[in-house]
Amino acid sequence: MQAITHPLSVAHANAAYTLTSFHFGTPGSGKKVYIQGSLHADEVPGMLVAQFLRKELLALEAAGQIHGEIILVPAANPIGLAQAIHGAAFGRFDLTTGVNFNRAYKHVANDLKRSLEGKLGPDAAANVALIREHARASIADWQPATDAETLKKTLMTLAIDAEIVLDLHCDNEAVLHIYAGTPLAEAIAPLSAILGSHATLLAYEAGGEPFDEACSRLWWDLDRHFEHRFPIPAACLSTTVELRGEMEVSYELARKDAAGLLQFLALNGVLGDANAQAAAATLPEPLCAPTPLEGVEPVYAPHAGILIYTRELGAKVAAGEALADLIDPVSGETTVLRATVDGVFFARSAHRHVIRGMNVGKVAGAKAYREGDLLSA
Ligand SMILES: [Zn+2]
């Protein structure tokens, strides 16, 4: 294992940040895997899962069981980890600019559409290698203007040419769910089953350029741009894993999640033949079928009030069913908040008094009906 410290700040900084990555295995000896925790710095479960991963990966490396390269970034957002407002952690947005730490990553396909013109051929493997080389160059060209942008560039430099990218987040209060690109549906299915995902949400483009998509969407974007004239597979299995709610930080869950992630890596041949066979033999049945991200209904508070949930997370609800009551604390009037689609009630707010317009729940419906920016702000 090699630890690398990446500087994020430039000269004259009054607070200088660094990012640390841990590198296991041998580059070029198999697949490249990239795993990061807590890019949204107030989403802590991923950082605890990374503790178990580091320990297990050290043991696997010592036993010669890592076939390829695994990069682990246990705390992906040192800038956000240092942010707090009046005692409350604030890790979703960069306080300096207001930009979400998981948005505005460079979509390298925009450069590659030009730089690859006339260079692709009939050999898929050669195309994959060439696209990775150009993607690395495009990230290297990125000129960050803030520490947060340098952080984003650093994370993408580590991940852009990986075969597997696992970005570990969590929601306010939620059951485990997963986001990935639609072309990755088949590849992501075992992860969804192993982790016990209650909603696996797929989109060709979620909007806002989140990290996982910056690593994966270039492949199908380029395939479409070059009109399928050259074989361009979806060569990066990149996903955002939402490890339940922000208060669900426990040894039991983290140990289980880390074991699940390692089972998925084993299935993908990164941890040797024996581990691959064991992983395949213990693959559980999935809890859900994947559904379109365009089918997720965000439920908003129509007015301010006290929020009382009347359904449990993970419940399968029908359109018209009640999810919560919203009570005007002064008049006592109650508004019943209902789902408008059939689906799984998979995420909800951590607040119990909300202001008009706040998102108070998400229901994963099977039918696509939304468009535009599909993620929460
Ligand atoms: Zn997040």
Side-chain angles (χ1 to χ4, degrees):
M1 195 267 296
Q2 191 195 359
I4 300 179
T5 301
H6 311 264
L8 301 178
S9 305
V10 294
H12 317 295
N14 39 20
Y17 298 102
T18 58
L19 179 85
T20 303
S21 56
F22 296 97
H23 300 246
F24 303 86
T26 309
S29 66
K31 286 181 178 169
K32 177 175 174 179
V33 176
Y34 176 82
I35 306 171
Q36 69 180 18
S38 304
L39 176 58
H40 285 139
D42 42 11
E43 299 173 2
V44 180
M47 287 190 286
L48 186 59
V49 168
Q51 305 313 305
F52 287 93
L53 286 175
R54 175 169 43 200
K55 197 165 152 240
E56 293 296 325
L57 290 171
L58 278 169
L60 286 160
E61 189 177 53
Q65 292 296 303
I66 296 182
H67 297 243
E69 177 188 14
I70 301 174
I71 300 176
L72 176 66
V73 177
N77 187 353
I79 301 169
L81 282 171
Q83 294 184 163
I85 300 176
H86 300 179
F90 188 88
R92 187 174 182 84
F93 302 92
D94 176 12
L95 270 175
T96 309
T97 59
V99 177
N100 188 317
F101 284 112
N102 192 24
R103 300 289 184 276
Y105 284 80
K106 183 172 183 182
H107 183 51
V108 299
N110 295 332
D111 286 349
L112 271 56
K113 285 169 190 173
R114 286 189 301 275
S115 68
L116 288 167
E117 192 60 53
K119 294 196 172 75
L120 296 167
D123 179 356
N127 289 340
V128 168
L130 187 69
I131 290 169
R132 291 208 173 111
E133 185 190 318
H134 282 236
R136 284 190 291 266
S138 172
I139 294 297
D141 279 347
W142 189 355
Q143 301 293 328
T146 65
D147 285 4
E149 281 184 8
T150 301
L151 172 66
K152 290 175 184 180
K153 176 179 174 175
T154 305
L155 299 174
M156 281 199 79
T157 302
L158 292 165
I160 191 66
D161 54 358
E163 268 97 348
I164 297 174
V165 172
L166 304 172
D167 191 7
L168 308 179
H169 288 245
C170 72
D171 212 305
N172 258 201
E173 290 183 358
V175 284
L176 195 144
H177 57 285
I178 286 175
Y179 296 94
T182 308
L184 301 172
E186 205 177 313
I188 213 74
L191 183 69
S192 175
I194 291 167
L195 295 179
S197 173
H198 288 257
T200 295
L201 307 163
L202 305 179
Y204 283 97
E205 182 173 355
E209 308 295 356
F211 178 81
D212 75 319
E213 200 178 281
C215 298
S216 60
R217 184 161 60 91
L218 69 137
W219 295 97
W220 50 91
D221 194 9
L222 289 172
D223 189 32
R224 202 174 294 170
H225 173 78
F226 289 106
E227 298 170 324
H228 319 295
R229 282 178 285 134
F230 314 102
I232 302 176
C236 179
L237 196 175
S238 178
T239 177
T240 292
V241 179
E242 302 281 349
L243 297 168
R244 309 175 196 84
E246 56 195 34
M247 295 304 286
E248 291 184 83
V249 181
S250 76
Y251 286 131
E252 289 79 3
L253 288 172
R255 191 180 290 117
K256 179 167 160 274
D257 292 337
L261 296 173
L262 290 172
Q263 185 182 353
F264 181 65
L265 297 189
L267 262 184
N268 280 276
V270 186
L271 303 179
D273 291 342
N275 287 322
Q277 283 163 14
T282 54
L283 193 61
E285 288 298 314
L287 298 183
C288 71
T291 50
L293 184 56
E294 293 90 339
V296 171
E297 180 192 17
V299 181
Y300 296 106
H303 59 78
I306 308 162
L307 182 62
I308 301 99
Y309 288 106
T310 51
R311 292 305 298 270
E312 292 301 317
L313 283 167
K316 293 195 169 78
V317 298
E321 276 187 35
L323 300 175
D325 288 344
L326 189 60
I327 304 175
D328 179 328
V330 178
S331 72
E333 266 182 71
T334 300
T335 304
V336 178
L337 307 183
R338 299 175 189 279
T340 66
V341 301
D342 297 349
V344 179
F345 181 36
F346 69 93
R348 66 189 196 187
S349 174
H351 302 288
R352 292 300 180 266
H353 175 269
V354 291
I355 296 170
R356 182 184 177 200
M358 278 187 169
N359 185 327
V360 296
K362 296 174 198 163
V363 178
K367 226 176 98 195
Y369 75 101
R370 292 192 303 143
E371 52 186 21
D373 280 350
L374 300 168
L375 301 173
S376 321

